[in-house]
Amino acid sequence: MYGALLNYEQNKQTITLHYEKQEAQIHVLTDSIINVFVPLFTSEHYSKAIEGDKELPTAFTLDKEQDALILATDSLVCKIYDDFMIDFYDKEGTLLCADYRGKRIPRKRFSESLIELAKQEGHTIDPNGGQDYAIQCIKQLDNADCIYGLGDKTGTLNKRCYEYENWNSDIPDPHEDSFKSLYKSIPFFITLKEKGVYGIFYDNTFKSYFNFGKENNGYYCFGSDDGNLDYYFIGGSSMPEIVTSYTYLTGRMPLPQKWTLGYQQSRWGYDSEKAFRELAAKFKEHHIPCDAFHFDIDYMDHYKVFTWNEERFTDARALLADLKEQGIKAVTIIDPGVKVEKGFTMYDEGVEHDYFAKSPDGNIYVNVVWPGDSVYPDFGNPEVRKWWGGHLQFYTDLGVSGVWNDMNEPASFHGPLPGDIVFTDEGKTATHAQMHNVYGHNMAKATYEGWKKLTNKRPFVITRACYSGSQKYATAWTGDNQSLWTHLRMAIPQQCNLGISGMTFIGTDIGGFGADTTPELLCRWVEAGCFSPLFRNHCAMGCMEQEPWLFGEETLAIYRKYVELRYALLPYFYDLCRECETTGLPIMRPLVLHYENDINVRNLNDEFMVGKHLLVAPVVEQGARKRMVYLPDGVWYDYWTHTEYKGGQYYIVDAPLDVCPIFVKEGTILPKAPAQMYVGEIEDPALILEVYPGTGSYTHYYDNGVDFAYQNGEYQEYFLETDGTKNLKITKRHEGYRDYPDIVIHYI
Ligand code: GLC
């Protein structure tokens, strides 16, 4: 396709390569990030994920050798050949990633005679799969390579041997390992090799494909239906370094308000003021901490966004104020679909200003979602984002504290939106095919920016659909799971992969959204779910109600125990948020992120870490009261009993229904909070530090947990060190907020 490399020219950090048949570019962004760009769709990059100029002044050499052009930074060597074949090496000369030379050779699936027979019978069978994508890149795969990332895809942690698609999809069926796509499109993955690691961010918003060695063990490929060939090769000496570089490019989760880390209760079906008041009373009666109630579509008037049903909620403002008095904040769902109804402000204004997507014939495009016939705001247009964001005042005036953006794949009940529906991309005409995967991203951006302007607090936005970089605006959940043990199991690799794909503030519907939960499943789900950054119980209308007190005393006590555990660990979660804002490292992490050389964790699907210090091995099997746990290198302590374990081994540990096995790494200094019914119940709480045997250090962060004052230095930072002698050293590294009234130290 490219032919021979005829010549090239260098303009600062960009090298333009003139091939016989095509022009291409290599762009050095940093020492360890190199962009590969072929302008097949637009002459310049267009990215929805990367904001601002990420190029850092980087020294590199460029030499022409016999058959290759060799570009070398301090950490990467990139050899560029004819046909735009590129191989990447680390600075020691180890080959990291080589373009695959040759055609795709899919594994054989049918014999010639079967294909012939099918033809005669009038059936069409795809003989081998593996058709070339319009835009395509094929890389060699080594036997030991493992592949992680790609956002919310179902199935195993290691994506090697599987294939996926990026096309944001709302699929109501129970999620299966075999699904190729779900709600989010995050075209980033990390390849961990026997020796070495690298990441690739394929910045293309069109429907995209990833075949990680399923069709042939010797290569993997990624590509799309359209757009540019535009990817970033990310080198680094470890998996965390790759994640840090990827989030340097696409952005990091900004520090959230502290209460958003508290427990949240939701149900599609809380339909009235009465229902919410009763709910609050129940939380109090059963003494379960709670920070937010979610208002699903039932609060609206005929499912019209930016309205509130006044029959079922006679005084929403008073209700929200009363709930807030009790520490419970309101989070309202806002879907993109605007009901077609003359006289409805959002519809009228949108029509007047030309804010809705159109059919190619120029008419506003109509499909069906919850309000019936609905139209789709064109969030790629900055004016539309501003308009939408401004209207959020309806909610802030009523006292709403957060927004839940749903159905923003965008979902549609009357068949999928055709690819040629006209949207815009920052002033340029675009199609649905181009904008589909960034629709939710742009909606979340509109919500984040509007909310920030209105409140000057850290916005709490939840989104279902995402693209790379959505972490800058929103937290997310994994969508409509079901009350199935398989879904509890699936949630672990799913959230771990989301985390290393930049999207760290995530959670699942605890107990399961669809179908009916069971007491045992709910217990095991809250035991694992209390470690998800977004900690919310949600279920669907028509399914068995799922509040924790509906399943008997034992379930209630277990549920309370883990909600209380979460509240105790809030300072740790908040520190992890701060770490994520500065390094991009996720809160929930697969073990392989920190122990990448340990082959025992490369395919470990049912354990995870919370930060570097806690290892959680939840029970995800019905009936299990023991489970096997693998502990990686080092010494570990059982969180509940403080029993010491040597790492690098498997153990069978006890896990009665009320026990989620949790292990703490030697040398950990774990920050904890006193019990509270909601964040801020105690205005000035003490800090509790649990110090585990061994040597270690820890940075603890403390601020007002609400606004942006910390960006002007209003925070405290403590550096804690332990040498195992019960003599904790506390140094203040930054002083800009207030000190704790008390610091209580427990030596374990
Ligand atoms: C979608 C959401 C779900 C919500 C429902 C009704 O299915 O994923 O969480 O409850 O719509 O709004």
Side-chain angles (χ1 to χ4, degrees):
M1 176 185 168
Y2 297 86
L5 175 60
L6 303 176
N7 52 57
Y8 64 93
E9 74 225 28
Q10 182 181 347
N11 180 8
K12 297 187 183 138
Q13 291 180 201
T14 303
I15 294 103
T16 303
L17 305 152
H18 300 285
Y19 283 94
E20 275 175 303
K21 295 178 203 148
Q22 176 68 48
E23 197 177 289
Q25 273 178 15
I26 299 287
H27 181 185
V28 180
L29 275 95
T30 72
D31 235 22
S32 54
I33 307 179
I34 293 179
N35 172 253
V36 176
F37 180 65
V38 186
L40 299 168
F41 181 69
T42 48
S43 56
E44 302 286 323
H45 290 271
Y46 80 92
S47 179
K48 302 293 111 197
I50 303 173
E51 290 181 8
D53 184 4
K54 295 293 174 180
E55 180 185 300
L56 297 178
T58 307
F60 65 94
T61 56
L62 188 64
D63 297 299
K64 181 88 180 89
E65 287 193 358
Q66 262 176 353
D67 57 346
L69 183 63
I70 303 183
L71 185 156
T73 70
D74 278 351
S75 30
L76 284 177
V77 176
C78 165
K79 297 191 182 177
I80 307 153
Y81 299 86
D82 286 346
D83 276 323
F84 203 34
M85 288 289 126
I86 309 176
D87 300 338
F88 291 92
Y89 297 77
D90 67 13
K91 62 175 185 252
E92 275 84 42
T94 308
L95 178 63
L96 291 172
C97 172
D99 268 329
Y100 172 80
R101 274 81 170 160
K103 283 192 175 316
R104 289 168 64 170
I105 312 165
R107 284 176 211 269
K108 211 168 165 60
R109 289 166 192 270
F110 304 98
S111 67
E112 302 303 326
S113 61
L114 274 180
I115 295 171
E116 197 41 50
L117 188 68
K119 247 195 231 157
Q120 285 167 15
E121 299 299 325
H123 306 302
T124 34
I125 51 175
D126 173 4
N128 298 315
Q131 264 103 19
D132 286 338
Y133 316 130
I135 313 294
Q136 169 167 288
C137 194
I138 316 178
K139 306 280 187 197
Q140 283 176 26
L141 201 48
D142 288 338
N143 277 341
D145 292 356
C146 298
I147 300 183
Y148 305 99
L150 221 64
D152 67 339
K153 303 293 184 254
T154 52
T156 50
L157 179 72
N158 177 3
K159 300 300 186 198
R160 168 83 188 246
C161 293
Y162 294 97
E163 66 177 327
Y164 300 95
E165 290 176 6
N166 270 354
W167 185 254
N168 290 353
S169 305
D170 170 28
I171 306 171
D173 305 330
H175 302 165
E176 297 273 0
D177 281 5
S178 57
F179 276 22
K180 289 189 182 159
S181 45
L182 264 180
Y183 310 91
K184 301 167 182 61
S185 289
I186 308 190
F188 167 67
F189 56 89
I190 299 177
T191 304
L192 178 62
K193 307 185 71 64
E194 195 164 8
K195 190 166 173 285
V197 60
Y198 67 88
I200 285 185
F201 168 43
Y202 174 51
D203 196 4
N204 184 311
T205 62
F206 285 88
K207 185 168 188 183
S208 301
Y209 308 87
F210 301 83
N211 191 310
F212 290 134
K214 178 176 173 175
E215 90 178 27
N216 187 310
N217 206 30
Y219 63 76
Y220 69 88
C221 39
F222 57 90
S224 320
D225 285 346
D226 207 338
N228 298 313
L229 179 66
D230 190 355
Y231 70 88
Y232 296 79
F233 183 87
I234 305 173
S237 60
S238 64
M239 278 180 77
E241 271 188 40
I242 308 288
V243 174
T244 295
S245 287
Y246 167 69
T247 53
Y248 162 76
L249 264 186
T250 59
R252 296 179 181 141
M253 172 195 74
L255 200 59
Q257 290 194 57
K258 210 176 201 170
W259 68 263
T260 66
L261 295 168
Y263 177 77
Q264 317 193 15
Q265 182 67 41
S266 186
R267 173 171 171 78
W268 176 14
Y270 294 143
D271 61 352
S272 62
E273 182 167 340
K274 187 166 163 274
F276 282 100
R277 289 192 187 279
E278 282 174 8
L279 192 64
K282 286 280 184 196
F283 271 93
K284 212 179 227 169
E285 179 190 334
H286 296 294
H287 205 78
I288 296 182
C290 181
D291 259 278
F293 286 167
H294 287 233
F295 288 65
D296 206 322
I297 49 174
D298 322 280
Y299 78 85
M300 297 180 206
D301 180 20
H302 292 91
Y303 303 142
K304 283 185 281 186
V305 288
F306 300 90
T307 68
W308 208 296
N309 184 298
E310 287 173 9
E311 273 162 38
R312 288 178 282 112
F313 296 85
T314 43
D315 190 345
R317 194 187 309 268
L319 168 68
L320 267 47
D322 289 350
L323 291 176
K324 213 175 255 172
E325 270 287 288
Q326 303 170 63
I328 297 168
K329 278 68 73 182
V331 176
T332 45
I333 201 167
I334 306 181
D335 294 346
V338 171
K339 186 175 177 64
V340 173
E341 186 181 281
K342 284 216 172 76
F344 168 37
T345 314
M346 294 306 285
Y347 178 71
D348 289 348
E349 284 186 13
V351 170
E352 186 190 336
H353 299 291
D354 215 5
Y355 285 164
F356 299 124
K358 290 188 167 160
S359 293
D361 64 9
N363 291 318
I364 294 176
Y365 174 76
V366 181
N367 202 309
V368 173
V369 269
W370 299 123
D373 279 357
S374 302
V375 290
Y376 293 82
D378 181 11
F379 289 113
N381 175 352
E383 249 189 74
V384 174
R385 293 202 293 272
K386 227 167 131 195
W387 166 67
W388 191 267
H391 272 287
L392 293 172
Q393 192 171 355
F394 170 76
Y395 293 96
T396 54
D397 280 355
L398 285 173
V400 172
S401 301
V403 175
W404 166 22
N405 284 160
D406 187 25
M407 308 291 280
N408 52 359
E409 291 70 37
S412 50
F413 298 163
H414 265 196
L417 278 70
D420 61 356
I421 295 303
V422 184
F423 285 81
T424 52
D425 177 27
E426 310 300 312
K428 292 192 202 94
T429 303
T431 58
H432 175 235
Q434 183 187 348
M435 302 308 287
H436 177 86
N437 283 340
V438 290
Y439 191 79
H441 175 88
N442 279 330
M443 184 187 189
K445 182 173 177 172
T447 309
Y448 180 88
E449 287 171 349
W451 202 264
K452 184 172 178 187
K453 210 161 152 201
L454 286 163
T455 63
N456 211 19
K457 288 184 184 158
R458 306 171 202 168
F460 182 46
V461 181
I462 306 177
T463 182
R464 195 169 71 173
C466 294
Y467 183 68
S468 282
S470 298
Q471 65 268 16
K472 296 188 287 282
Y473 317 117
T475 156
W477 88 111
T478 55
D480 297 348
N481 59 7
Q482 301 224 352
S483 303
L484 300 168
W485 286 91
T486 49
H487 283 194
L488 170 58
R489 266 203 299 278
M490 177 188 289
I492 298 173
Q494 208 176 14
Q495 292 178 94
C496 285
N497 274 325
L498 272 161
I500 58 176
S501 309
M503 204 70 218
T504 189
F505 199 163
I506 28 109
T508 61
D509 286 346
I510 289 173
F513 173 73
D516 292 340
T517 202
T518 67
E520 186 184 359
L521 180 62
L522 187 63
C523 289
R524 291 310 194 184
W525 212 312
V526 76
E527 291 174 11
C530 75
F531 294 100
S532 290
L534 181 65
F535 185 23
R536 181 181 80 157
N537 175 330
H538 178 53
C539 75
M541 182 167 63
C543 296
M544 187 192 281
E545 294 178 341
Q546 212 165 255
E547 291 79 26
W549 45 84
L550 297 172
F551 302 88
E553 276 309 311
E554 189 189 19
T555 306
L556 176 61
I558 292 172
Y559 205 94
R560 186 187 300 114
K561 172 178 168 182
Y562 287 89
V563 177
E564 285 175 349
L565 173 65
R566 169 62 170 247
Y567 277 77
L569 291 174
L570 278 178
Y572 183 56
F573 275 89
Y574 197 57
D575 280 340
L576 289 170
C577 291
R578 172 67 174 174
E579 186 187 2
C580 184
E581 187 183 43
T582 45
T583 66
L585 291 186
I587 298 167
M588 233 178 119
R589 307 174 180 178
L591 272 66
V592 70
L593 190 67
H594 289 302
Y595 300 94
E596 64 188 43
N597 294 322
D598 183 343
I599 51 161
N600 294 320
V601 302
R602 291 190 170 192
N603 291 300
L604 194 54
N605 288 288
D606 63 354
E607 296 179 26
F608 60 91
M609 303 199 65
V610 180
K612 273 206 300 229
H613 303 281
L614 299 185
L615 186 154
V616 184
V619 172
V620 291
E621 301 296 334
Q622 188 198 22
R625 296 294 180 265
K626 286 180 188 292
R627 64 154 287 171
M628 186 166 73
V629 175
Y630 179 74
L631 296 174
D633 199 29
V635 177
W636 298 84
Y637 295 89
D638 181 305
Y639 176 81
W640 305 108
T641 63
H642 303 153
T643 307
E644 186 184 305
Y645 290 87
K646 278 213 164 40
Q649 293 180 45
Y650 292 89
Y651 293 93
I652 303 285
V653 300
D654 285 334
L657 189 57
D658 67 333
V659 172
C660 172
I662 305 166
F663 300 87
V664 187
K665 185 89 196 253
E666 60 182 320
T668 290
I669 302 158
L670 190 63
K672 293 175 78 172
Q676 297 189 77
M677 288 300 286
Y678 58 89
V679 171
E681 189 192 21
I682 304 174
E683 209 179 299
D684 200 7
L687 176 68
I688 301 162
L689 296 172
E690 253 175 37
V691 184
Y692 284 78
T695 55
S697 62
Y698 183 80
T699 302
H700 174 63
Y701 175 88
Y702 184 41
D703 69 5
N704 72 22
V706 175
D707 58 27
F708 292 93
Y710 77 102
Q711 292 181 348
N712 300 321
E714 286 187 31
Y715 65 91
Q716 301 287 92
E717 197 177 280
Y718 304 89
F719 187 65
L720 317 170
E721 291 165 279
T722 177
D723 60 4
T725 63
K726 304 204 170 177
N727 202 1
L728 187 74
K729 194 169 151 208
I730 305 182
T731 322
K732 248 181 258 173
R733 285 258 173 104
H734 184 94
E735 214 171 340
Y737 187 52
R738 61 175 188 227
D739 270 329
Y740 287 96
D742 197 10
I743 297 184
V744 182
I745 303 173
H746 294 311
Y747 292 100
I748 302 297

